[in-house]
Amino acid sequence: MKLTSKGRYAVMAMADLANINDKQPTSLSEISLRQGISVSFLEQIFLKLKKNKLVYSLRGPTGGYLLSKSPNEIKLSNIIDAV
C-alpha cells in the first residue's frame, strides 16, 4: 500500500500528539517545528482529522489540539481514511 504525503504527515503528526499526551493542547507550530512539516499543510490535515473526530481543538492563547481518544484506540487505518 502506498501512502500519500498527506497520509504520511498525518500519521507523523498524530504520533507526535500521542508522544506528548500530557493533557495540554499542542499547537500546530510546535508540531511543525518538531516534525518539519509546514504549518499550512498541517492546517489542512488537522481540519480533516477534526472532522473525523480523531482530534479536537481548544481555542485561546494556550489552545491547540488534543487526541479525542487514547492513543491505543486510534488505528493507522483511521488516520489514513480521514485524510
Side-chain angles (χ1 to χ4, degrees):
M1 176 170 131
K2 285 191 172 187
L3 279 181
T4 62
S5 293
K6 198 172 273 191
R8 186 166 40 97
Y9 288 144
V11 170
M12 288 170 53
M14 291 290 282
D16 189 84
L17 282 179
N19 282 336
I20 299 300
N21 200 18
D22 61 358
K23 302 299 178 194
Q24 296 294 329
T26 304
S27 70
L28 293 181
S29 60
E30 292 172 13
I31 296 170
S32 172
L33 289 173
R34 285 193 294 263
Q35 298 298 322
I37 307 167
S38 75
V39 174
S40 61
F41 200 45
L42 283 173
E43 287 171 348
Q44 295 174 27
I45 291 169
F46 273 79
L47 280 174
K48 292 181 180 188
L49 293 173
K50 187 175 176 181
K51 181 181 174 186
N52 285 282
K53 296 180 173 65
L54 294 174
V55 297
Y56 66 96
S57 62
L58 296 175
R59 297 175 71 178
T62 59
Y65 287 90
L66 292 162
L67 296 176
S68 60
K69 306 175 190 175
S70 78
N72 297 336
E73 297 174 12
I74 299 174
K75 297 179 182 178
L76 287 176
S77 60
N78 299 130
I79 299 168
I80 293 167
D81 289 343
V83 296

